[in-house]
Amino acid sequence: MREIKAETGVLSRADGSCRFAQGETEVLVGVTGPLEAGSREEEHDKAVIVVSFEPRAGHSTVNERRLEEVVRGTFEQVVLRTLYPRTVVTVVVQEVSSDGALLSAAINAVSLALVDAGIPMRGLVSSCTVSVGGGEEEKGSGERVDGSAEEESASRAKFTFAYNAPAASPSAAPEKASPEGIVTSVASGAFSQKEYWRAEAAAAA
């Protein structure tokens, strides 16, 4: 894996914040709330999480909307939302630079920013991206953990996992790896079931 750097409390106007870098990929996250929700956002029995993903340059696209959905879905599972009914927690993710594993960096940064804001969760969320090489599976293409954008572009498939509990043992056989603790699993490209579980084992290690 590439070098990881994280710093919390970097935005004075946010309730929680984090600057997070994995290699040359870097994001800045600000969290505000829980605050009273407007009638259009309100859920009477739990907090609503609103995520905004801002690209480094230009306007948001379908890709940013997809990232927002994944991040929101991840933390809706782990934030103790029933403690704050009729409120909203707003999360803003700013892409600073992107050189692979952007979604993982965002999830890791949001997790730390929520902790910085003092928002109760079931546990700290950690995420990792794994790519599978461009060759056919039978030719022995291996898994690359936290690869660069160039490595991801050359890969045949890419997987992003997020965990909220002890993951599967790295020594477990890939085809028998346990999904325990996985709160998010996003895959793209062409891959077999065996490759999926190998990638999950590599991420969990």
Side-chain angles (χ1 to χ4, degrees):
M1 288 187 66
R2 297 171 295 177
E3 181 181 11
I4 293 176
K5 297 179 181 179
E7 181 182 3
T8 57
V10 294
L11 298 176
S12 60
R13 295 187 178 182
D15 295 312
S17 58
C18 178
R19 182 182 294 274
F20 189 94
Q22 294 180 204
E24 297 301 315
T25 296
E26 183 175 336
V27 295
L28 180 63
V29 172
V31 172
T32 55
L35 300 174
E36 184 177 354
S39 57
R40 302 176 79 176
E41 299 174 319
E42 179 182 286
E43 290 197 29
H44 74 279
D45 59 344
K46 57 182 174 289
V48 172
I49 299 176
V50 176
V51 178
S52 176
F53 202 107
E54 303 296 333
R56 182 174 59 88
H59 300 289
S60 297
T61 65
V62 173
N63 184 57
E64 280 74 40
R65 300 289 81 81
R66 182 182 66 84
L67 295 175
E68 289 171 357
E69 291 177 3
V70 174
V71 172
R72 182 178 64 250
T74 298
F75 289 96
E76 282 179 344
Q77 299 178 68
V78 298
V79 171
L80 301 180
R81 298 193 291 149
T82 56
L83 297 179
Y84 303 101
R86 295 189 170 92
T87 65
V88 58
V89 175
T90 302
V91 177
V92 178
V93 181
Q94 174 65 59
E95 174 192 340
V96 178
S97 59
S98 180
D99 185 33
L102 179 61
L103 176 57
S104 283
I107 291 173
N108 290 328
V110 171
S111 183
L112 293 173
L114 288 168
V115 171
D116 188 46
I119 295 176
M121 297 188 292
R122 301 183 191 282
L124 195 66
V125 178
S126 60
S127 179
C128 184
T129 296
V130 179
S131 57
V132 175
E136 298 296 329
E137 180 187 2
E138 58 267 22
K139 294 181 181 179
S141 57
E143 299 79 37
R144 288 190 291 276
V145 177
D146 188 35
S148 66
E150 181 179 359
E151 290 172 323
E152 288 184 355
S153 295
S155 68
R156 178 164 39 82
K158 184 174 73 171
F159 311 86
T160 296
F161 301 95
Y163 300 90
N164 186 231
S169 169
S171 61
E175 56 270 29
K176 296 182 180 180
S178 169
E180 180 183 1
I182 300 176
V183 291
T184 292
S185 172
V186 179
S188 61
F191 56 91
S192 66
Q193 183 180 24
K194 187 174 183 179
E195 285 178 308
Y196 174 90
W197 287 116
R198 284 179 173 169
E200 194 278 325

